Amino acid sequence: MNKHPESTESTGPSDEQQITLRGPAELADALPYLMGFHPDDSVVMVALHGGRGRFGGRLRMGIPPVPGEWAPVARRLARSLIEGSELRDSRPDAIVVFLCQDPAEGESANQVMERLRPFAQDLRTACGAHDVPVLEALCISGGRYWSYCCPDPRCCPAEGNQLALPGTTVMAAAAAYAGIQVRGTLRDMETRYLPGDPSVTAGQERALDAAGASLVSRILDPEGRRQVSAETLALAGSLIERLGRTPASRPGEADAEDDRLIGHDEAAALILGLQDRETRDRAAEWMEGRDAGAALRLWRALARRCAGPYAEHSAAPLTLAGWVSWSTGDEAGARVALGLALRADPGYTFAQLLHQACNRGLDPETLRRCLREERDLRDRPGEPGGGREEPRGGQAEAGRPMRATGPRRRAPHRAGGHPVPARGGTRRGTARRQEYGTSGPAAAGDRHRMRRARRPGTRSDR
């Protein structure tokens, strides 16, 4: 079940393909193609511009499970979509709302529609308060759809209308012609990043405990910290080569095959090493070309290994996965990974900034340029640490000393954002959250890089 991330997801307008949609049936059929997946358990809002209702920005958020949250969430979503549209394009002339949720056990689709009706009304009221009308509000549940705006039972009967069969509509034909794919449900996409088999995750937790116990003493020494960073990057490069030599299997088998290729000790060393911001930034340079696909497989596999009290550690590999997805043109995949990163750690600066940049329609090439410039400057002869031969993963850079932190005061979280019972033990306590340089000056460094990315042509000033 979707765990309702705090952050919202949106996409900018696209003018590559022009399709005329008429009526609720075609709108309901178009939704998965607009998002790139079936947004189960979600509220989706789409901005419309001009007299012909051109699609603009899109926004998705998990449906809050508590009805008392609906009104404030509706106000926040309306404001976010309208203000975001004004920044990217222009003020919307209207909005279309979709509420997508399958029935719970013992519940009918019609009951879902009636239960969500007050939320639909809250969204209509919130948009109307900004003088932007909701042109249509649809509920999609159990393979049927209902309109909250149309009172005519001849076209919108009380029992709802059946959704069109997949692949039989004008939108499906246009999407196939344009090469647009719908990759299952949101739940399916999230599952690729979440811990699975308990027998596997239990062994991974033990490996993380052991790796953390040896890591803490090393990072307290500046030279030890540089060695840890170099080892992390060299190991990441080695695993990317290993995955790259193994062709990806069919979608249903690919993740299990990748998991078999990576040992618990290797995964533990990488997960803990990537908690260092500078090491993570160097890993972000595997963002394009022949290495990008294997790097995405590696970051996805590492996120699946962050189970139990190590769930917050998944923010780093999830953010790297989101970055590679965005860099290679997979915006839907990027939003899923970045949304999960913010669910694991809502304060993770790099994920916040990438999520905002992706939502605002920035070109990832500007950030790629920044990373290339930093790499070129680092490798330039005469620069501190420059001109050296480096392994595939690169050497650690001599930046700020690592800061070993103890466990955070707030309870650890599962990947879905729910607290889990604290599990004691000296090794687990010291290793539970080694996050080095992800706040303060380090976070400022992330913001500085993203500001430079917003200014195409700006050169690095490191």
Side-chain angles (χ1 to χ4, degrees):
M1 183 175 183
N2 182 24
K3 300 301 181 181
H4 323 295
E6 294 270 341
S7 57
T8 57
E9 304 162 5
S10 64
T11 65
S14 175
D15 298 322
E16 296 179 359
Q17 188 80 13
Q18 294 187 2
I19 302 295
T20 300
L21 303 178
R22 299 177 177 85
E26 293 185 357
L27 280 173
D29 175 69
L31 180 59
Y33 302 100
L34 293 174
M35 304 301 293
F37 54 87
H38 293 274
D40 49 346
D41 200 17
S42 299
V43 51
V44 177
M45 301 173 67
V46 182
L48 302 179
H49 298 270
R52 297 178 61 85
R54 174 178 56 85
F55 283 150
R58 278 141 263 175
L59 176 151
R60 189 209 68 84
M61 183 175 179
I63 295 176
V66 180
E69 300 175 357
W70 289 350
V73 166
R75 291 192 292 269
R76 188 177 76 200
L77 293 180
R79 182 174 64 253
S80 177
L81 179 60
I82 293 169
E83 293 179 354
S85 297
E86 289 174 336
L87 288 172
R88 287 189 303 268
D89 189 4
S90 61
R91 185 176 179 81
D93 293 292
I95 289 173
V96 174
V97 171
F98 301 86
L99 295 178
C100 309
Q101 190 172 75
D102 285 332
E105 185 176 356
E107 186 179 32
S108 68
N110 193 278
Q111 288 172 324
V112 173
M113 182 273 293
E114 291 295 346
R115 175 168 54 80
L116 295 178
R117 185 183 292 276
F119 189 25
Q121 185 57 44
D122 288 336
L123 290 163
R124 297 174 69 184
T125 301
C127 294
H130 292 271
D131 294 326
V132 179
V134 170
L135 190 65
E136 182 61 272
L138 298 178
C139 176
I140 300 175
S141 180
R144 307 185 74 82
Y145 70 89
W146 290 261
S147 171
Y148 289 117
C149 297
C150 178
D152 190 346
R154 292 173 297 178
C155 59
C156 298
E159 67 274 16
N161 288 297
Q162 191 75 30
L163 289 172
L165 292 174
T168 62
T169 64
V170 63
M171 187 67 183
Y177 178 78
I180 299 173
Q181 295 182 346
V182 177
R183 292 170 296 170
T185 67
L186 174 62
R187 188 180 298 110
D188 294 334
M189 297 179 69
E190 289 183 337
T191 298
R192 304 196 69 183
Y193 296 96
L194 300 179
D197 188 348
S199 64
V200 175
T201 55
Q204 188 61 65
E205 286 185 42
R206 290 191 293 271
L208 283 161
D209 288 345
S214 63
L215 179 67
V216 171
S217 60
R218 296 182 63 195
I219 64 172
L220 295 177
D221 174 69
E223 181 60 29
R225 176 230 177 222
R226 287 190 288 270
Q227 291 175 356
V228 169
S229 181
E231 292 167 5
T232 299
L233 292 167
L235 177 58
S238 174
L239 290 178
I240 287 173
E241 285 187 340
R242 184 186 305 172
L243 292 167
R245 291 193 301 267
T246 307
S249 304
R250 291 181 299 178
E253 304 172 357
D255 294 340
E257 179 63 26
D258 289 348
D259 289 340
R260 286 191 290 269
L261 291 171
I262 302 171
H264 287 329
D265 293 340
E266 293 173 322
L270 277 182
I271 289 168
L272 296 179
L274 288 173
Q275 304 309 304
D276 172 35
R277 184 192 67 86
E278 292 181 355
T279 306
R280 180 210 66 203
D281 287 353
R282 297 284 293 275
E285 293 173 8
W286 283 296
M287 59 189 170
E288 56 191 347
R290 64 184 182 88
D291 289 333
L296 177 59
R297 290 164 62 189
L298 175 60
W299 308 142
R300 202 155 43 203
L302 294 181
R304 291 193 294 270
R305 303 292 186 96
C306 297
Y310 293 96
E312 286 184 354
H313 287 70
S314 66
L318 284 167
T319 303
L320 289 171
W323 161 233
V324 175
S325 296
W326 185 37
S327 176
T328 54
D330 181 8
E331 292 189 4
R335 290 188 185 87
V336 170
L338 293 171
L340 288 173
L342 292 173
R343 184 187 301 173
D345 185 352
Y348 200 71
T349 306
F350 193 33
Q352 290 175 338
L353 296 174
L354 284 176
H355 201 255
Q356 292 172 5
C358 187
N359 286 346
R360 291 178 181 177
L362 296 180
D363 185 352
E365 173 58 21
T366 56
L367 181 54
R368 285 195 296 262
R369 185 184 302 119
C370 289
L371 291 174
R372 293 191 203 106
E373 289 175 352
E374 291 184 2
R375 179 179 57 205
D376 293 344
L377 185 60
R378 183 179 65 243
D379 297 341
R380 186 181 304 164
E383 295 291 337
R388 300 179 303 191
E389 291 295 325
E390 297 190 352
R392 183 175 178 80
Q395 293 285 349
E397 56 188 89
R400 286 179 286 284
M402 276 188 171
R403 175 172 55 87
T405 65
R408 290 187 175 183
R409 295 299 181 186
R410 60 192 178 103
H413 284 64
R414 295 190 180 96
H418 295 294
V420 298
R423 297 174 64 180
T426 303
R427 290 184 303 164
R428 189 180 300 277
T430 56
R432 202 193 76 60
R433 182 62 166 173
Q434 268 80 23
E435 181 180 55
Y436 319 120
T438 56
S439 61
D446 283 338
R447 294 189 181 94
H448 173 65
R449 182 179 291 104
M450 295 302 293
R451 282 197 298 271
R452 286 168 48 215
R454 295 189 183 101
R455 300 195 300 271
T458 303
R459 294 196 58 79
S460 170
D461 61 355
R462 280 186 62 184

mmCIF file with all atom_site columns, all heavy atoms in Angstrom, residues 381-398:
data_model
loop_
_atom_site.group_PDB
_atom_site.id
_atom_site.type_symbol
_atom_site.label_atom_id
_atom_site.label_alt_id
_atom_site.label_comp_id
_atom_site.label_asym_id
_atom_site.label_entity_id
_atom_site.label_seq_id
_atom_site.pdbx_PDB_ins_code
_atom_site.Cartn_x
_atom_site.Cartn_y
_atom_site.Cartn_z
_atom_site.occupancy
_atom_site.B_iso_or_equiv
_atom_site.pdbx_formal_charge
_atom_site.auth_seq_id
_atom_site.auth_comp_id
_atom_site.auth_asym_id
_atom_site.auth_atom_id
_atom_site.pdbx_PDB_model_num
ATOM 1   N N   . PRO A 1 381 ? 45.852 18.721 -13.308 1.00 0.00 ? 381 PRO A N   1
ATOM 2   C CA  . PRO A 1 381 ? 47.168 18.831 -12.673 1.00 0.00 ? 381 PRO A CA  1
ATOM 3   C C   . PRO A 1 381 ? 47.365 20.211 -12.045 1.00 0.00 ? 381 PRO A C   1
ATOM 4   O O   . PRO A 1 381 ? 46.943 21.231 -12.589 1.00 0.00 ? 381 PRO A O   1
ATOM 5   C CB  . PRO A 1 381 ? 48.145 18.621 -13.831 1.00 0.00 ? 381 PRO A CB  1
ATOM 6   C CG  . PRO A 1 381 ? 47.360 17.862 -14.854 1.00 0.00 ? 381 PRO A CG  1
ATOM 7   C CD  . PRO A 1 381 ? 45.940 18.349 -14.719 1.00 0.00 ? 381 PRO A CD  1
ATOM 8   N N   . GLY A 1 382 ? 47.969 20.229 -10.869 1.00 0.00 ? 382 GLY A N   1
ATOM 9   C CA  . GLY A 1 382 ? 48.200 21.485 -10.180 1.00 0.00 ? 382 GLY A CA  1
ATOM 10  C C   . GLY A 1 382 ? 47.150 21.829 -9.169  1.00 0.00 ? 382 GLY A C   1
ATOM 11  O O   . GLY A 1 382 ? 47.359 22.665 -8.296  1.00 0.00 ? 382 GLY A O   1
ATOM 12  N N   . GLU A 1 383 ? 45.976 21.196 -9.290  1.00 0.00 ? 383 GLU A N   1
ATOM 13  C CA  . GLU A 1 383 ? 44.928 21.395 -8.297  1.00 0.00 ? 383 GLU A CA  1
ATOM 14  C C   . GLU A 1 383 ? 45.165 20.443 -7.125  1.00 0.00 ? 383 GLU A C   1
ATOM 15  O O   . GLU A 1 383 ? 45.788 19.396 -7.291  1.00 0.00 ? 383 GLU A O   1
ATOM 16  C CB  . GLU A 1 383 ? 43.543 21.128 -8.898  1.00 0.00 ? 383 GLU A CB  1
ATOM 17  C CG  . GLU A 1 383 ? 43.152 22.095 -9.978  1.00 0.00 ? 383 GLU A CG  1
ATOM 18  C CD  . GLU A 1 383 ? 42.907 23.494 -9.457  1.00 0.00 ? 383 GLU A CD  1
ATOM 19  O OE1 . GLU A 1 383 ? 42.615 23.626 -8.249  1.00 0.00 ? 383 GLU A OE1 1
ATOM 20  O OE2 . GLU A 1 383 ? 43.029 24.445 -10.239 1.00 0.00 ? 383 GLU A OE2 1
ATOM 21  N N   . PRO A 1 384 ? 44.703 20.798 -5.923  1.00 0.00 ? 384 PRO A N   1
ATOM 22  C CA  . PRO A 1 384 ? 44.841 19.877 -4.793  1.00 0.00 ? 384 PRO A CA  1
ATOM 23  C C   . PRO A 1 384 ? 44.211 18.535 -5.116  1.00 0.00 ? 384 PRO A C   1
ATOM 24  O O   . PRO A 1 384 ? 43.028 18.448 -5.395  1.00 0.00 ? 384 PRO A O   1
ATOM 25  C CB  . PRO A 1 384 ? 44.087 20.591 -3.651  1.00 0.00 ? 384 PRO A CB  1
ATOM 26  C CG  . PRO A 1 384 ? 44.122 22.033 -4.034  1.00 0.00 ? 384 PRO A CG  1
ATOM 27  C CD  . PRO A 1 384 ? 44.064 22.057 -5.535  1.00 0.00 ? 384 PRO A CD  1
ATOM 28  N N   . GLY A 1 385 ? 45.032 17.485 -5.100  1.00 0.00 ? 385 GLY A N   1
ATOM 29  C CA  . GLY A 1 385 ? 44.521 16.150 -5.403  1.00 0.00 ? 385 GLY A CA  1
ATOM 30  C C   . GLY A 1 385 ? 44.308 15.918 -6.877  1.00 0.00 ? 385 GLY A C   1
ATOM 31  O O   . GLY A 1 385 ? 43.821 14.865 -7.269  1.00 0.00 ? 385 GLY A O   1
ATOM 32  N N   . GLY A 1 386 ? 44.659 16.884 -7.726  1.00 0.00 ? 386 GLY A N   1
ATOM 33  C CA  . GLY A 1 386 ? 44.411 16.729 -9.149  1.00 0.00 ? 386 GLY A CA  1
ATOM 34  C C   . GLY A 1 386 ? 45.540 16.015 -9.850  1.00 0.00 ? 386 GLY A C   1
ATOM 35  O O   . GLY A 1 386 ? 46.656 15.888 -9.363  1.00 0.00 ? 386 GLY A O   1
ATOM 36  N N   . GLY A 1 387 ? 45.254 15.563 -11.078 1.00 0.00 ? 387 GLY A N   1
ATOM 37  C CA  . GLY A 1 387 ? 46.260 14.941 -11.902 1.00 0.00 ? 387 GLY A CA  1
ATOM 38  C C   . GLY A 1 387 ? 46.678 13.559 -11.478 1.00 0.00 ? 387 GLY A C   1
ATOM 39  O O   . GLY A 1 387 ? 47.704 13.054 -11.927 1.00 0.00 ? 387 GLY A O   1
ATOM 40  N N   . ARG A 1 388 ? 45.928 12.906 -10.601 1.00 0.00 ? 388 ARG A N   1
ATOM 41  C CA  . ARG A 1 388 ? 46.295 11.584 -10.128 1.00 0.00 ? 388 ARG A CA  1
ATOM 42  C C   . ARG A 1 388 ? 45.587 10.514 -10.940 1.00 0.00 ? 388 ARG A C   1
ATOM 43  O O   . ARG A 1 388 ? 44.508 10.724 -11.467 1.00 0.00 ? 388 ARG A O   1
ATOM 44  C CB  . ARG A 1 388 ? 45.909 11.407 -8.648  1.00 0.00 ? 388 ARG A CB  1
ATOM 45  C CG  . ARG A 1 388 ? 46.575 12.391 -7.739  1.00 0.00 ? 388 ARG A CG  1
ATOM 46  C CD  . ARG A 1 388 ? 46.130 12.173 -6.313  1.00 0.00 ? 388 ARG A CD  1
ATOM 47  N NE  . ARG A 1 388 ? 44.671 12.266 -6.195  1.00 0.00 ? 388 ARG A NE  1
ATOM 48  C CZ  . ARG A 1 388 ? 44.040 12.333 -5.036  1.00 0.00 ? 388 ARG A CZ  1
ATOM 49  N NH1 . ARG A 1 388 ? 44.721 12.290 -3.913  1.00 0.00 ? 388 ARG A NH1 1
ATOM 50  N NH2 . ARG A 1 388 ? 42.723 12.410 -4.993  1.00 0.00 ? 388 ARG A NH2 1
ATOM 51  N N   . GLU A 1 389 ? 46.224 9.363  -11.025 1.00 0.00 ? 389 GLU A N   1
ATOM 52  C CA  . GLU A 1 389 ? 45.546 8.214  -11.598 1.00 0.00 ? 389 GLU A CA  1
ATOM 53  C C   . GLU A 1 389 ? 44.526 7.710  -10.580 1.00 0.00 ? 389 GLU A C   1
ATOM 54  O O   . GLU A 1 389 ? 44.839 7.561  -9.409  1.00 0.00 ? 389 GLU A O   1
ATOM 55  C CB  . GLU A 1 389 ? 46.550 7.104  -11.919 1.00 0.00 ? 389 GLU A CB  1
ATOM 56  C CG  . GLU A 1 389 ? 47.484 7.450  -13.072 1.00 0.00 ? 389 GLU A CG  1
ATOM 57  C CD  . GLU A 1 389 ? 46.725 7.584  -14.388 1.00 0.00 ? 389 GLU A CD  1
ATOM 58  O OE1 . GLU A 1 389 ? 45.746 6.828  -14.573 1.00 0.00 ? 389 GLU A OE1 1
ATOM 59  O OE2 . GLU A 1 389 ? 47.110 8.432  -15.193 1.00 0.00 ? 389 GLU A OE2 1
ATOM 60  N N   . GLU A 1 390 ? 43.320 7.466  -10.998 1.00 0.00 ? 390 GLU A N   1
ATOM 61  C CA  . GLU A 1 390 ? 42.276 7.042  -10.087 1.00 0.00 ? 390 GLU A CA  1
ATOM 62  C C   . GLU A 1 390 ? 41.699 5.719  -10.528 1.00 0.00 ? 390 GLU A C   1
ATOM 63  O O   . GLU A 1 390 ? 41.653 5.425  -11.721 1.00 0.00 ? 390 GLU A O   1
ATOM 64  C CB  . GLU A 1 390 ? 41.145 8.078  -10.030 1.00 0.00 ? 390 GLU A CB  1
ATOM 65  C CG  . GLU A 1 390 ? 41.594 9.417  -9.495  1.00 0.00 ? 390 GLU A CG  1
ATOM 66  C CD  . GLU A 1 390 ? 40.415 10.333 -9.228  1.00 0.00 ? 390 GLU A CD  1
ATOM 67  O OE1 . GLU A 1 390 ? 39.295 9.949  -9.608  1.00 0.00 ? 390 GLU A OE1 1
ATOM 68  O OE2 . GLU A 1 390 ? 40.610 11.396 -8.656  1.00 0.00 ? 390 GLU A OE2 1
ATOM 69  N N   . PRO A 1 391 ? 41.264 4.912  -9.570  1.00 0.00 ? 391 PRO A N   1
ATOM 70  C CA  . PRO A 1 391 ? 40.532 3.706  -9.949  1.00 0.00 ? 391 PRO A CA  1
ATOM 71  C C   . PRO A 1 391 ? 39.211 4.094  -10.574 1.00 0.00 ? 391 PRO A C   1
ATOM 72  O O   . PRO A 1 391 ? 38.818 5.263  -10.566 1.00 0.00 ? 391 PRO A O   1
ATOM 73  C CB  . PRO A 1 391 ? 40.340 2.975  -8.617  1.00 0.00 ? 391 PRO A CB  1
ATOM 74  C CG  . PRO A 1 391 ? 40.373 4.060  -7.598  1.00 0.00 ? 391 PRO A CG  1
ATOM 75  C CD  . PRO A 1 391 ? 41.335 5.075  -8.123  1.00 0.00 ? 391 PRO A CD  1
ATOM 76  N N   . ARG A 1 392 ? 38.513 3.119  -11.085 1.00 0.00 ? 392 ARG A N   1
ATOM 77  C CA  . ARG A 1 392 ? 37.228 3.378  -11.748 1.00 0.00 ? 392 ARG A CA  1
ATOM 78  C C   . ARG A 1 392 ? 36.292 4.163  -10.861 1.00 0.00 ? 392 ARG A C   1
ATOM 79  O O   . ARG A 1 392 ? 35.559 5.027  -11.300 1.00 0.00 ? 392 ARG A O   1
ATOM 80  C CB  . ARG A 1 392 ? 36.592 2.042  -12.153 1.00 0.00 ? 392 ARG A CB  1
ATOM 81  C CG  . ARG A 1 392 ? 35.302 2.199  -12.913 1.00 0.00 ? 392 ARG A CG  1
ATOM 82  C CD  . ARG A 1 392 ? 34.822 0.841  -13.367 1.00 0.00 ? 392 ARG A CD  1
ATOM 83  N NE  . ARG A 1 392 ? 33.577 0.949  -14.060 1.00 0.00 ? 392 ARG A NE  1
ATOM 84  C CZ  . ARG A 1 392 ? 33.449 1.308  -15.327 1.00 0.00 ? 392 ARG A CZ  1
ATOM 85  N NH1 . ARG A 1 392 ? 34.516 1.597  -16.028 1.00 0.00 ? 392 ARG A NH1 1
ATOM 86  N NH2 . ARG A 1 392 ? 32.262 1.363  -15.896 1.00 0.00 ? 392 ARG A NH2 1
ATOM 87  N N   . GLY A 1 393 ? 36.320 3.866  -9.580  1.00 0.00 ? 393 GLY A N   1
ATOM 88  C CA  . GLY A 1 393 ? 35.424 4.562  -8.677  1.00 0.00 ? 393 GLY A CA  1
ATOM 89  C C   . GLY A 1 393 ? 35.946 5.898  -8.238  1.00 0.00 ? 393 GLY A C   1
ATOM 90  O O   . GLY A 1 393 ? 35.247 6.665  -7.596  1.00 0.00 ? 393 GLY A O   1
ATOM 91  N N   . GLY A 1 394 ? 37.216 6.225  -8.522  1.00 0.00 ? 394 GLY A N   1
ATOM 92  C CA  . GLY A 1 394 ? 37.772 7.505  -8.109  1.00 0.00 ? 394 GLY A CA  1
ATOM 93  C C   . GLY A 1 394 ? 38.388 7.404  -6.729  1.00 0.00 ? 394 GLY A C   1
ATOM 94  O O   . GLY A 1 394 ? 38.172 6.462  -5.974  1.00 0.00 ? 394 GLY A O   1
ATOM 95  N N   . GLN A 1 395 ? 39.197 8.375  -6.366  1.00 0.00 ? 395 GLN A N   1
ATOM 96  C CA  . GLN A 1 395 ? 39.790 8.461  -5.044  1.00 0.00 ? 395 GLN A CA  1
ATOM 97  C C   . GLN A 1 395 ? 38.954 9.378  -4.169  1.00 0.00 ? 395 GLN A C   1
ATOM 98  O O   . GLN A 1 395 ? 38.209 10.217 -4.655  1.00 0.00 ? 395 GLN A O   1
ATOM 99  C CB  . GLN A 1 395 ? 41.228 9.018  -5.135  1.00 0.00 ? 395 GLN A CB  1
ATOM 100 C CG  . GLN A 1 395 ? 42.195 8.081  -5.834  1.00 0.00 ? 395 GLN A CG  1
ATOM 101 C CD  . GLN A 1 395 ? 42.572 6.915  -4.953  1.00 0.00 ? 395 GLN A CD  1
ATOM 102 O OE1 . GLN A 1 395 ? 42.266 6.916  -3.768  1.00 0.00 ? 395 GLN A OE1 1
ATOM 103 N NE2 . GLN A 1 395 ? 43.210 5.923  -5.530  1.00 0.00 ? 395 GLN A NE2 1
ATOM 104 N N   . ALA A 1 396 ? 39.113 9.234  -2.877  1.00 0.00 ? 396 ALA A N   1
ATOM 105 C CA  . ALA A 1 396 ? 38.399 10.125 -1.963  1.00 0.00 ? 396 ALA A CA  1
ATOM 106 C C   . ALA A 1 396 ? 39.026 11.496 -2.011  1.00 0.00 ? 396 ALA A C   1
ATOM 107 O O   . ALA A 1 396 ? 40.230 11.650 -2.131  1.00 0.00 ? 396 ALA A O   1
ATOM 108 C CB  . ALA A 1 396 ? 38.478 9.571  -0.549  1.00 0.00 ? 396 ALA A CB  1
ATOM 109 N N   . GLU A 1 397 ? 38.210 12.522 -1.944  1.00 0.00 ? 397 GLU A N   1
ATOM 110 C CA  . GLU A 1 397 ? 38.755 13.864 -1.942  1.00 0.00 ? 397 GLU A CA  1
ATOM 111 C C   . GLU A 1 397 ? 38.949 14.336 -0.515  1.00 0.00 ? 397 GLU A C   1
ATOM 112 O O   . GLU A 1 397 ? 38.227 13.951 0.395   1.00 0.00 ? 397 GLU A O   1
ATOM 113 C CB  . GLU A 1 397 ? 37.823 14.813 -2.702  1.00 0.00 ? 397 GLU A CB  1
ATOM 114 C CG  . GLU A 1 397 ? 36.414 14.844 -2.184  1.00 0.00 ? 397 GLU A CG  1
ATOM 115 C CD  . GLU A 1 397 ? 35.513 15.638 -3.091  1.00 0.00 ? 397 GLU A CD  1
ATOM 116 O OE1 . GLU A 1 397 ? 34.962 15.041 -4.019  1.00 0.00 ? 397 GLU A OE1 1
ATOM 117 O OE2 . GLU A 1 397 ? 35.371 16.831 -2.872  1.00 0.00 ? 397 GLU A OE2 1
ATOM 118 N N   . ALA A 1 398 ? 39.946 15.159 -0.321  1.00 0.00 ? 398 ALA A N   1
ATOM 119 C CA  . ALA A 1 398 ? 40.301 15.601 1.030   1.00 0.00 ? 398 ALA A CA  1
ATOM 120 C C   . ALA A 1 398 ? 39.503 16.842 1.382   1.00 0.00 ? 398 ALA A C   1
ATOM 121 O O   . ALA A 1 398 ? 40.010 17.949 1.389   1.00 0.00 ? 398 ALA A O   1
ATOM 122 C CB  . ALA A 1 398 ? 41.794 15.889 1.098   1.00 0.00 ? 398 ALA A CB  1
#
